[in-house]
Amino acid sequence: MPDAEGSKPVRIGLLGRGTVGAAFAALLAERAAAVEAATGRAPELAGVLTREEGNFAAILDDSDLVVELIGGTEPARDYVLAALRAGKPVVTANKQLLAQHGDELFAVAREAGVQLRFEAAVAGVIPIVRAIQEGFGATEISKVFGIVNGTTNFILTEMAASGAGYDEVLAQAQQLGYAEADPSDDVSGADAAAKMAILARLAFHTPVTLSEVSYEGIEGIQPDDLAYAKELGLSLKLLGAAERRDGGVSVRVFPCFLYRGHPLSPIEGPFNAVMVEAPAITEVTMSGPGAGGLQTASAVLGDVVSILAGDAPVHETRGELPIVADITSSFYLHLEVADEPGVLARIATVLGDHDVSVKSVVQRGAGEDARLVMVIHECLESRFAAALAALGELGELRSPPRSIRVIEEQF
Amino acid sequence: MPDAEGSKPVRIGLLGRGTVGAAFAALLAERAAAVEAATGRAPELAGVLTREEGNFAAILDDSDLVVELIGGTEPARDYVLAALRAGKPVVTANKQLLAQHGDELFAVAREAGVQLRFEAAVAGVIPIVRAIQEGFGATEISKVFGIVNGTTNFILTEMAASGAGYDEVLAQAQQLGYAEADPSDDVSGADAAAKMAILARLAFHTPVTLSEVSYEGIEGIQPDDLAYAKELGLSLKLLGAAERRDGGVSVRVFPCFLYRGHPLSPIEGPFNAVMVEAPAITEVTMSGPGAGGLQTASAVLGDVVSILAGDAPVHETRGELPIVADITSSFYLHLEVADEPGVLARIATVLGDHDVSVKSVVQRGAGEDARLVMVIHECLESRFAAALAALGELGELRSPPRSIRVIEEQF
């Protein structure tokens, strides 16, 4: 597309201005220059259709590309079909639409020879659709599974952490905006089932519709199940699994205990994660925020960029940023010291003289084996290096100081 | 490309037949039908260039696309430049070539208007290049960091687990094939530095060459550092970090302690993982095998598919797989039981009658609060459901049985 039409702006028709739609409109304006740099074409909004304003036919007519963020199946289906039939590529975040009407939509897109992209429909900003369709496009995938609903993962994480009951934690999730006023689509597993139908279709090249996915939700989970599981070293997740089994495919959503070392076990709160298994790739795991207006809008914008770029953009620099050599870090510091009074004071003085501040210190061993293990607060690396050099001069050290950088938890 | 040339086969010139080259040739033959289904064109090898046989000019002339798997900078650089100048797209897994000569290669590719793809050059089969260039192509990335060298991660994992010294574990890694006979490129951090130079360039659209990346390796790590760190709840990784700092970029490789809950902390053994941070996406983490002939070949084949597909392939089904409803699972089973002799025996009998086998059982509480918590060996779900129904009929149960699926560690 960039080659054929040069630097003419690309006009985008936006359907819907809810949370994601509004975030997309703002992000598109903010990142217009970056989109142009990546694709050769500047994007601009041709029009926005909401329940209150805008005329679909007029917006379609004036658009090069349509972004559907209305949600639900009607009238979204009519709009997407009309756009595809008019030869306009479509980006959508609408999982229900794809899970229920995928066959029809993909057939029309193929006939019309235009792209239909939907990265944001599954697992938010995690580029799982792209990975399965393109990176693993010639791979015999055996299994796709993961945590594809952030609301339920938040609820299960909180139940496990606090010991509180399902109803109490659901109310809390609603207050925090992680669950909707009517949470039934999420907590029943139906939302995850729609996403798994889409992933199964892509991974196994077979038609899978929502009605073929069996699902269970988390409404029946009891706090004591979580308590016993904790004793057994298990964590509870709502899993979606699509896999080849017995010459067919099994696509399901169900709560499941995972052993402590399982790659999905550390995924907590509203995050999503998806694993892809295949003999040729072993397993690849991708995790990130599963929802959020800005994150979903960002995934939509990625699809817009892909459509405009056509073939993958050949890398081009956009300027030259200076290389910054001296930055701040925290450090672990290990000193083999003489076991005599005043040593710590002299070491602390050297560090203080260089504005290097100690977060914690423990003494280990005694006599010939005495050593200090310190954690140093974040400071400029050049300053820490100077402090290390000065420490090396001290007669109280039995060997040169050893240091390793540290990333600590932020509170 | 598929539209323009229909079903004509695409001829691939393969440069190099080492571990990855041989795996790629085998994978290409095995997956030829899948490539054709995904792209509309069947791939076939035009020729293979090795040190012993093949003529580069003849192979280039006969190829539509060139795959460079020789490694090193010369003669790989000459070959890749010649292919690009001849208008042939190139796929390479050569991180040194890109890190040292990226500017030249990308400029020539742009001039020639052909794709240069290199997913396999960084983090093996993890689709991080694709994610940064395309999915996050319009995103203001603030930081890319991770574990991009599997050899050093294997060594650090083993040192932490066994308490053994660096030299001993290195020898073990060499025996297992995780480290080369001359491991200096890996253990010094130079290999990771080349990968970070490539990622920094893509993420920040600025020229970064290997010589601008400061790096430290793991040769100086002592077992007691790891022992103290374990006490502090820290794990040690060789990290690559590329980030915006102070109006410029910092690109570095260094050993670093991570707090227990850090997303990179659970990445063990020869695995790689990369995190991307940006305000619009929060953070996305991708992990998977960092090397291996088949895995690297698979990433190369993904790039070939992307080039042949041109625009993203519109999804098309390739058949219709049956939906398999009844599969095998393991279960957690929670029973509130009467606290009287013989209850467990009667429950075990019911389970046994349905061929459902108990892996572990604990009794909790007493009297009105007595309950059995069981883990059930993998069995057909229909059989377990029948056993549950039969258990529900027992007078000894004070409430309906509760069950949740379990994924246990495989040994």
Side-chain angles (χ1 to χ4, degrees), chain B residues 3 45 87 102 146 159 184 191 223 284 292:
Chain B
D3 294 334
L45 273 189
M159 284 179 72
S184 46
D191 172 89
V284 168

Side-chain angles (χ1 to χ4, degrees), chain B residues 26 51 64 78 106 113 166 181 202 217 223 295 329-330 343-344 370 406:
Chain B
R51 232 168 284 178
D64 301 312
D78 288 339
F106 291 119
Y166 169 77
L202 295 179
Q295 288 77 6
S329 296
S330 297
V343 169
L344 179 57
V406 179

Side-chain angles (χ1 to χ4, degrees), chain A residues 67-91:
Chain A
V67 171
E68 185 277 303
L69 300 172
I70 303 176
T73 54
E74 296 298 345
R77 174 174 155 272
D78 288 338
Y79 292 156
V80 170
L81 288 172
L84 294 171
R85 287 192 176 116
K88 317 262 166 126
V90 173
V91 176

Side-chain angles (χ1 to χ4, degrees), chain B residues 89-173:
Chain B
V90 173
V91 177
T92 177
N94 192 329
K95 58 192 167 281
Q96 289 298 339
L97 182 62
L98 290 160
Q100 292 179 42
H101 301 286
D103 275 328
E104 181 184 25
L105 296 167
F106 291 119
V108 170
R110 273 198 309 278
E111 273 165 38
V114 296
Q115 290 192 52
L116 169 62
R117 282 188 174 261
F118 47 91
E119 186 64 76
V122 183
V125 81
I126 304 171
I128 183 66
V129 169
R130 192 180 302 273
I132 291 178
Q133 272 207 294
E134 301 174 50
F136 309 147
T139 304
E140 172 94 350
I141 293 174
S142 42
K143 186 171 182 178
V144 179
F145 70 118
I147 298 163
V148 294
N149 181 278
T151 301
T152 45
N153 204 52
F154 175 84
I155 292 173
L156 294 175
T157 302
E158 289 301 306
M159 284 179 72
S162 69
Y166 169 77
D167 291 328
E168 184 182 332
V169 174
L170 172 60
Q172 182 193 344

